Amino acid sequence: MSKKTTEALAEFQRAYFEKGRAPAEQVIALLDLIKKDLGLEMIYVCTNSAATRHFLYEYCSHGPGYKAMHYNLLLEDQDHFALLNDCFRQANPAILTRKESDHTLALAAGNLSYAWMTDQIFSGFISFQGKDGSWTLADLEAIKGLAGVLWPLVRENQLQEEVNFKELFEDDGSLAWVYPKLGLITFSAELRQRYDLSDYYRYDTVDEFAQNFVAYGDTNRFVAKYRECLQGGSTSVTVHGFNLRDQFKVDMFVDRRDDKGEPEQVVGLIHKLELTEAQNRERDKRLLAYNNFKQAISKDDLFELLVDFDKNELTIFKYPVSWQKILGQDCHYDQFHASFAESFVPAANRYHFLYVLDRRHLQQRLSIQQSMFMTTHVQLDGGERLLEIEAIRGTTGEHQVPKTAVLIAKDISNKRVLRYDQLTGLLNMHNFLLETEAVQSEQPAAAGHLLALNVDKFKLYNIQNGLQAGDGCLLEIAAIIKDVYPHALTARFSADNFYIYDTDPKGWQERILLLQEHLRQSEYASSLRVRVGVYEYVDQVSAEVACDRAKLACDCLKTDPQARWYLYTDDLQKAEEIKQYLINNLDEAIEKKHLEVYYQPVIRALTGRLCSAEALIRWNDPVKGFLSPGQFIPLFEEMNLSYKVDRYVIEEVTAMLRDRLDKQLPVVPVSINLSRADFQMMDPLQVLNRAVEQQRLPKRLIHVEITESALAKDVQRLKQAIHDFRQAGYQVWMDDFGSGYSSLNYLKNFEFDEIKLDMVFMSDFDEASKKILASCVKMSKSLGIHTLAEGVETKEQFDFLREIGCERIQGYYFSQPLPLDELTWLLEKEGIEIEDGDQDQFYQQVGLTDVISDRPVSLILDDGESFKTIYMNQLYKRELEESGKSIHQISDDLANAPESSIGLGMRALADRAGKGNSEQSEYLADVRHNGQYIRLSVTSIAQLRNWQMLLVNASDITFQGNVQMPK
């Protein structure tokens, strides 16, 4: 060690003995010195939380792997931990192999690592990454010596961690680990299996996390206890799981803090509590009520109550802590109603409150209308507050008399409740709903139309033009609405959402067209598209329901940019019901294999062989029948549920490949699709690695497709994920290339092995599309990126794509997606051969050659004895035109004829090219054909055993005068 490093080690030890911890900057500087002295690439220090299987990057030297400091989480609860533990139990230090891990950075194969461990606890390890991966005995001894000095890096908090676990983890339970800096929570294997959780969950705020995993009424208490835990010490809270009967006791403590005292890891010890039969019945009742009313409930509600009118029963979902004094006993609704009025409602408002929310009066009102509002002042938390209370009809009996209702209250004290929207002067939501209900109650029958208006991409407009221009735009839209609908009820609910109740049943379409014509001529809104959804009153429904139906119609226009308005139909409601059915039945469909993987073949353009397949999901439901992917894939992506489908596809595809290999049947690589949601809800690389290892598959058999639209969000995370996939040995393809606005930027910023040209180019296959396709293929080859065209349906499209050098073809021209057995039958019927691994490797080399040229060009396969023409461009074909024979046959005859000038020249050039070197890869010869002199240029572009592919250029030099015939 250098003198400088020795001094730094001494200073490091002094800091630990005096202060108990050295600053991170000092530790990293020390690692940099050690790295330089030993001639290494990287040094990683990884620590393990006591009694867990999580390793964290604690410190890293500077260098190519320094990004690991930002990962923090290295290894989660998985089989790799056991392999790593066994490795160090056998030898310490140890040189890591692929057996221990298939990771990079600290767990890269070839790293020399030393572990700090006792008989029971694996505290952590330090990993040294050498420049060439070779280590000597002297290196091993040096590492042991350093470990004796650097041990405080991983052992400093170990004793306290063990104490924490022993105090809190007295009986069996489950574990969850929260990483506040990363916005990440991971779950133990037992929790994942019992509740079908993903490996990890990413969150923006702890409130968001709580709303997804903790029962609605318990979220505030959980968040308060979590924040208390972050401040120091341990906390405990009892909660129900989100939408679960189960109740849990959760103990939390901060297990790790950084050198500035900020929490890095929080451990949650989760114990499932046993409930009595009565408690289970009560919980089931709450769950049922919540599911029936969850569309109306929001996190801003002050209280939420379920009323059973006939039984006079009250079920409380959510309430402020200060209500405890009137909720200490199981009171009936009438008791609660009276106690609340007496305890919180001022005398001036008490009579109105008691009258409107009287149980029988409320039941009678809700038999006429779906919901009703009231406002009242209350004395709450030491001050007077204004509440808006909404009552919503629940289940009903005979003659639509309600059996149940939900009461929801919001604190609107700070919202300055006015009749009109403060910006536009239109009615606000509350008063629009009230006045719409009032107008309808005066009419003998339902009539007119309710319109929902929404401005496309209004947030983007605000960003680009500023909030002042955005407000100007909203004012302009409001003025036009009032001008076109002078006698209608008009409102702005929020942001860019406007509503109109047009009571005149005649001329409504003309008014919508007039509205949009005025908008197109306006100053601010002319560049924006305003979508209009229409609900036509055909039966008596509440104003809220009418608004919901109009909004549903308005949202349908998102996928139809040409339409001006959309009329609500019962089919839309049915579609919404199907969506809910799909969400509710996804888990069962996976468990019972109602989801089935179909495979669409991908054909090598040069050979016509099957070279790969894309795995696509289909749903054959026992109730709904066959469901197209368009019905459920976008829905699941929107709901962050698509990770379950993609995880299922990975399991099915890898199992299929293993089965065919075991039966010694041919296989080709299969591509799987990953969406943006997969990277939020799980670690797709970890899931894929686990499946591949379980099925003992080579990684070349799985390709990963990521859509262009997924790249538009969370760019840095996806960029790193793509890099990690490629480092792990998988090909990564960019799907739908050309469907968006930023395709070229993505090629520059992301590492892709292949691009899939979007089928939009095939739908309008004109000269412009052809030029764009040719340019894309040429550019991709120059970047070393392979190409595949999807959506190919005609021979004209296939011939053109083959002509410009597109390597792979996918589309209905060959086959639609099929179940595996049907695809196998089709391949046999059509006589389509299956490419083997050697052929794949060979033609992958060939595929990167640019064949677009202004000279005659061909690709000729040489097996050492004869030639076979694989490809010719149009200019080459014209050179060989001859009646009575195919162009390919003519080319093969000439190249293989030993007595012909071309045949002699080709064999001589092929032999020279096959033995050529990198400095001279192009070989020339002049030959005579049909009275012309032709100069052949031959380059060997791919070689495998006795095969080689020759790139042949031909030029007519008859009149050049510098002919050199081969001897």
Side-chain angles (χ1 to χ4, degrees):
M1 292 289 176
S2 67
K3 180 180 178 182
K4 188 174 182 180
T5 303
T6 304
E7 292 174 350
L9 282 167
E11 185 62 31
F12 163 77
Q13 289 179 303
R14 189 179 302 113
Y16 266 98
F17 289 136
E18 293 178 357
K19 303 177 183 178
R21 188 178 186 119
E25 296 81 1
Q26 180 181 350
V27 176
I28 294 171
L30 174 59
L31 296 180
D32 287 342
L33 290 172
I34 296 173
K35 181 189 78 167
K36 182 179 179 182
D37 284 356
L38 297 181
L40 304 176
E41 271 196 4
M42 284 296 301
I43 301 176
Y44 307 93
V45 179
C46 304
T47 62
N48 175 27
S49 296
T52 75
R53 295 185 170 195
H54 284 206
F55 281 108
L56 305 174
Y57 283 102
E58 187 75 28
Y59 304 104
C60 300
S61 65
H62 287 97
Y66 184 69
K67 58 189 175 183
M69 284 289 286
H70 303 292
Y71 290 178
N72 205 220
L73 191 62
L74 164 67
L75 192 64
E76 299 177 23
D77 192 335
Q78 54 183 305
D79 294 339
H80 285 146
F81 178 89
L83 291 172
L84 205 59
N85 186 57
D86 292 343
C87 170
F88 285 120
R89 298 287 178 193
Q90 296 172 15
N92 194 15
I95 300 175
L96 300 183
T97 68
R98 287 291 180 189
K99 177 183 178 183
E100 284 76 50
S101 177
D102 199 12
H103 285 64
T104 56
L105 303 176
L107 292 178
N111 285 12
L112 177 61
S113 301
Y114 181 89
W116 290 278
M117 56 203 322
T118 65
D119 290 341
Q120 296 181 342
I121 296 179
F122 184 173
S123 302
F125 65 93
I126 184 168
S127 183
F128 299 85
Q129 189 169 1
K131 294 182 178 178
D132 57 5
S134 59
W135 303 95
T136 66
L137 187 60
D139 293 326
L140 297 179
E141 293 303 318
I143 296 307
K144 285 184 178 179
L146 283 171
V149 178
L150 298 177
W151 66 268
L153 293 178
V154 298
R155 290 292 296 171
E156 58 180 338
N157 295 323
Q158 198 72 37
L159 182 60
Q160 183 58 47
E161 291 171 354
E162 293 176 34
V163 171
N164 285 335
F165 274 88
K166 288 178 181 178
E167 286 180 352
L168 293 173
F169 211 20
E170 297 176 353
D171 55 0
D172 291 337
S174 304
L175 287 164
W177 298 267
V178 183
Y179 300 93
K181 289 184 177 180
L182 299 177
L184 181 77
I185 180 167
T186 66
F187 307 98
S188 63
E190 185 274 336
L191 276 178
R192 296 200 302 265
Q193 292 166 6
R194 178 182 293 182
Y195 299 107
D196 191 28
L197 299 172
S198 59
D199 292 339
Y200 68 84
Y201 176 82
R202 292 190 180 276
Y203 62 89
D204 292 326
T205 65
V206 68
D207 300 82
E208 175 199 325
F209 162 74
Q211 289 161 24
N212 282 280
F213 289 93
V214 178
Y216 194 74
D218 298 335
T219 54
N220 288 343
R221 288 188 298 108
F222 176 85
V223 171
K225 287 294 184 181
Y226 174 80
R227 288 175 174 155
E228 181 183 332
C229 162
L230 295 183
Q231 300 304 313
S234 59
T235 58
S236 180
V237 62
T238 300
V239 297
H240 282 92
F242 178 76
N243 245 9
L244 295 173
R245 174 192 279 190
D246 297 346
Q247 188 177 34
F248 305 93
K249 178 188 176 188
V250 182
D251 296 307
M252 295 176 280
F253 67 91
V254 177
D255 186 45
R256 301 169 55 84
R257 295 183 183 272
D258 61 20
D259 59 333
K260 298 179 181 177
E262 294 296 323
E264 286 187 332
Q265 182 190 50
V266 177
V267 177
L269 309 174
I270 303 167
H271 313 264
K272 182 181 174 183
L273 302 178
E274 295 298 325
L275 302 180
T276 65
E277 187 175 344
Q279 288 174 319
N280 280 328
R281 284 198 303 270
E282 175 68 14
R283 181 62 183 160
D284 288 342
K285 184 171 68 172
R286 287 170 179 252
L287 284 175
L288 179 62
Y290 171 78
N291 287 327
N292 288 339
F293 291 98
K294 62 184 177 182
Q295 297 300 324
I297 290 173
S298 81
K299 63 184 179 67
D300 298 325
D301 297 340
L302 182 67
F303 73 71
E304 296 151 1
L305 316 171
L306 175 71
V307 183
D308 187 314
F309 289 117
D310 295 332
K311 296 179 180 179
N312 190 22
E313 288 182 350
L314 180 69
T315 302
I316 302 172
F317 299 145
K318 183 180 180 182
Y319 62 89
V321 176
S322 55
W323 286 19
Q324 193 65 46
K325 61 182 179 180
I326 65 167
L327 299 176
Q329 53 186 344
D330 294 330
C331 58
H332 297 305
Y333 175 77
D334 290 348
Q335 293 172 317
F336 167 81
H337 181 222
S339 299
F340 185 91
E342 182 67 29
S343 302
F344 299 117
V345 180
N349 301 95
R350 195 170 297 156
Y351 174 80
H352 179 67
F353 176 87
L354 289 170
Y355 171 73
V356 173
L357 295 184
D358 174 77
R359 179 163 54 94
R360 291 305 177 194
H361 178 260
L362 190 61
Q363 185 180 31
Q364 188 270 331
R365 286 286 305 274
L366 292 179
S367 65
I368 301 172
Q369 57 195 81
Q370 179 69 32
S371 63
M372 56 173 283
F373 288 89
M374 74 163 294
T375 56
T376 184
H377 288 87
V378 296
Q379 294 292 333
L380 191 63
D381 299 330
E384 187 171 284
R385 314 297 294 171
L386 180 63
L387 300 188
E388 178 184 78
I389 301 175
E390 179 182 15
I392 306 172
R393 181 202 303 164
T395 56
T396 58
E398 294 183 2
H399 308 297
Q400 292 297 302
V401 175
K403 292 182 176 181
T404 61
V406 162
L407 299 184
I408 297 173
K410 290 181 171 62
D411 186 346
I412 56 174
S413 308
N414 300 323
K415 296 184 179 179
R416 292 187 62 194
V417 178
L418 303 171
R419 186 167 184 262
Y420 297 102
D421 172 55
Q422 291 179 322
L423 176 66
T424 63
L426 304 180
L427 288 170
N428 59 24
M429 180 181 70
H430 176 73
N431 285 283
F432 177 81
L433 296 175
L434 289 177
E435 295 195 24
T436 300
E437 294 278 5
V439 171
Q440 291 176 341
S441 65
E442 297 172 358
Q443 296 177 340
H449 299 80
L450 200 143
L451 281 60
L453 286 72
N454 184 262
V455 184
D456 267 355
K457 301 178 181 178
F458 188 69
K459 289 182 180 178
L460 180 62
Y461 182 90
N462 268 335
I463 293 171
Q464 293 177 338
N465 300 282
L467 294 177
Q468 185 173 355
D471 286 348
C473 180
L474 295 175
L475 285 167
E476 194 172 60
I477 293 172
I480 292 172
I481 288 173
K482 286 186 282 189
D483 184 45
V484 175
Y485 294 90
H487 305 298
L489 291 175
T490 57
R492 174 178 174 245
F493 278 18
S494 62
D496 54 324
N497 296 295
F498 296 87
Y499 286 81
I500 303 169
Y501 178 33
D502 184 4
T503 56
D504 185 355
K506 298 179 180 179
W508 62 274
Q509 296 184 35
E510 288 78 4
R511 284 190 290 278
I512 292 176
L513 295 177
L514 179 62
L515 170 74
Q516 294 185 329
E517 183 61 32
H518 285 190
L519 289 170
R520 279 195 296 272
Q521 297 176 6
S522 62
E523 178 183 355
Y524 291 102
S526 59
S527 61
L528 296 170
R529 179 189 182 220
V530 179
R531 292 180 279 111
V532 181
V534 183
Y535 171 69
E536 183 175 15
Y537 279 96
V538 292
D539 52 9
Q540 194 75 37
V541 298
S542 69
E544 292 94 333
V545 171
C547 288
D548 288 343
R549 292 179 176 180
K551 182 65 165 59
L552 189 61
C554 182
D555 290 341
C556 289
L557 292 168
K558 292 179 180 179
T559 57
D560 188 357
Q562 302 304 317
R564 297 188 176 188
W565 51 270
Y566 202 97
L567 181 65
Y568 171 87
T569 64
D570 289 340
D571 289 339
L572 284 182
Q573 188 62 39
K574 292 176 183 176
E576 282 300 299
E577 292 171 359
I578 289 177
K579 287 181 180 180
Q580 195 59 49
Y581 176 87
L582 294 173
I583 293 171
N584 294 340
N585 288 273
L586 172 59
D587 292 339
E588 181 181 350
I590 291 175
E591 179 184 353
K592 296 184 177 179
K593 293 189 180 295
H594 297 154
L595 292 181
E596 184 178 357
V597 178
Y598 280 39
Y599 299 88
Q600 186 169 31
V602 177
I603 303 298
R604 180 82 62 185
L606 285 177
T607 65
R609 295 191 186 100
L610 177 75
C611 60
S612 67
E614 181 179 4
L616 300 163
I617 199 71
R618 299 293 185 265
W619 190 332
N620 290 303
D621 190 79
V623 177
K624 300 295 183 181
F626 183 83
L627 299 169
S628 70
Q631 289 178 277
F632 59 88
I633 292 296
L635 171 66
F636 291 155
E637 289 182 353
E638 179 185 352
M639 303 299 293
N640 277 347
L641 293 173
S642 58
Y643 77 94
K644 294 186 177 183
V645 177
D646 294 338
R647 184 173 60 193
Y648 173 76
V649 170
I650 289 172
E651 293 168 355
E652 291 292 293
V653 168
T654 52
M656 178 276 294
L657 290 171
R658 180 71 264 161
D659 180 64
R660 289 186 65 85
L661 289 172
D662 289 344
K663 295 175 180 177
Q664 297 184 336
L665 296 172
V667 296
V668 293
V670 177
S671 62
I672 58 171
N673 292 278
L674 296 180
S675 67
R676 179 178 56 85
D678 293 331
F679 294 91
Q680 292 180 311
M681 302 302 293
M682 68 179 184
D683 182 347
L685 176 57
Q686 182 190 84
V687 171
L688 183 56
N689 271 337
R690 189 179 301 156
V692 167
E693 290 168 7
Q694 182 180 351
Q695 301 295 347
R696 309 182 315 281
L697 296 175
K699 292 179 178 177
R700 68 171 184 83
L701 289 180
I702 299 292
H703 301 329
V704 174
E705 294 189 27
I706 300 176
T707 61
E708 180 177 335
S709 59
L711 301 173
K713 298 181 179 179
D714 210 350
V715 171
Q716 288 306 314
R717 182 189 298 176
L718 280 175
K719 186 175 182 179
Q720 184 60 52
I722 291 169
H723 174 78
D724 291 344
F725 269 109
R726 298 183 78 243
Q727 287 291 101
Y730 301 101
Q731 284 193 30
V732 182
W733 297 359
M734 178 181 176
D735 197 8
D736 300 335
F737 179 82
S739 61
Y741 299 104
S742 304
S743 300
L744 297 180
N745 281 332
Y746 295 145
L747 286 188
K748 176 174 68 75
N749 295 328
F750 293 90
E751 306 172 64
F752 289 109
D753 298 282
E754 184 157 318
I755 60 171
K756 296 185 70 172
L757 300 168
D758 190 70
M759 61 181 64
V760 68
F761 295 114
M762 302 298 125
S763 61
D764 188 13
F765 196 61
D766 53 16
E767 288 303 314
S769 294
K770 291 179 180 179
K771 289 179 180 178
I772 294 172
L773 285 168
S775 298
C776 289
V777 171
K778 190 176 185 68
M779 175 192 62
S780 298
K781 291 178 186 292
S782 69
L783 295 173
I785 299 175
H786 297 280
T787 52
L788 183 158
E790 56 183 344
V792 177
E793 297 184 351
T794 67
K795 186 176 186 303
E796 177 194 4
Q797 293 170 348
F798 171 75
D799 289 342
F800 172 77
L801 291 164
R802 190 179 190 277
E803 170 76 15
I804 63 174
C806 183
E807 299 169 60
R808 308 181 200 233
I809 308 296
Q810 178 181 351
Y812 278 38
Y813 179 64
F814 293 104
S815 172
Q816 64 187 37
L818 295 170
L820 181 62
D821 55 349
E822 293 184 28
L823 177 59
T824 303
W825 176 86
L826 176 69
L827 295 175
E828 293 176 357
K829 174 178 174 291
E830 298 295 331
I832 297 176
E833 297 179 9
I834 299 177
E835 191 173 86
D836 61 30
D838 287 344
Q839 291 168 337
D840 174 70
Q841 181 182 349
F842 181 73
Y843 281 101
Q844 285 292 94
Q845 296 177 53
V846 175
L848 292 178
T849 299
D850 185 7
V851 295
I852 298 177
S853 174
D854 57 1
R855 294 194 299 165
V857 172
S858 69
L859 295 176
I860 297 179
L861 179 64
D862 175 20
D863 63 6
E865 296 180 359
S866 62
F867 299 106
K868 181 180 180 181
T869 304
I870 302 296
Y871 167 87
M872 291 183 289
N873 68 1
Q874 293 297 326
L875 291 174
Y876 199 96
K877 291 176 183 179
R878 282 200 290 269
E879 290 288 339
L880 300 179
E881 283 182 352
E882 182 177 315
S883 61
K885 287 187 178 181
S886 73
I887 297 298
H888 279 77
Q889 185 62 52
I890 295 169
S891 177
D892 290 349
D893 288 350
L894 290 172
N896 289 305
E899 71 281 357
S900 74
S901 174
I902 288 182
L904 288 171
M906 279 296 300
R907 175 46 60 197
L909 289 175
D911 291 344
R912 291 167 62 197
K915 300 174 183 177
N917 54 55
S918 59
E919 295 180 357
Q920 185 181 6
S921 58
E922 182 181 29
Y923 296 87
L924 304 174
D926 297 340
V927 298
R928 184 171 181 174
H929 175 64
N930 290 343
Q932 294 177 301
Y933 290 98
I934 297 174
R935 175 161 293 167
L936 297 178
S937 165
V938 176
T939 304
S940 179
I941 58 174
Q943 298 180 1
L944 181 67
R945 295 195 299 272
N946 59 328
W947 297 350
Q948 65 172 332
M949 186 67 74
L950 303 174
L951 174 65
V952 180
N953 286 275
S955 304
D956 187 348
I957 59 169
T958 304
F959 302 104
Q960 291 185 9
N962 58 345
V963 178
Q964 298 177 2
M965 298 294 292
K967 298 179 181 180

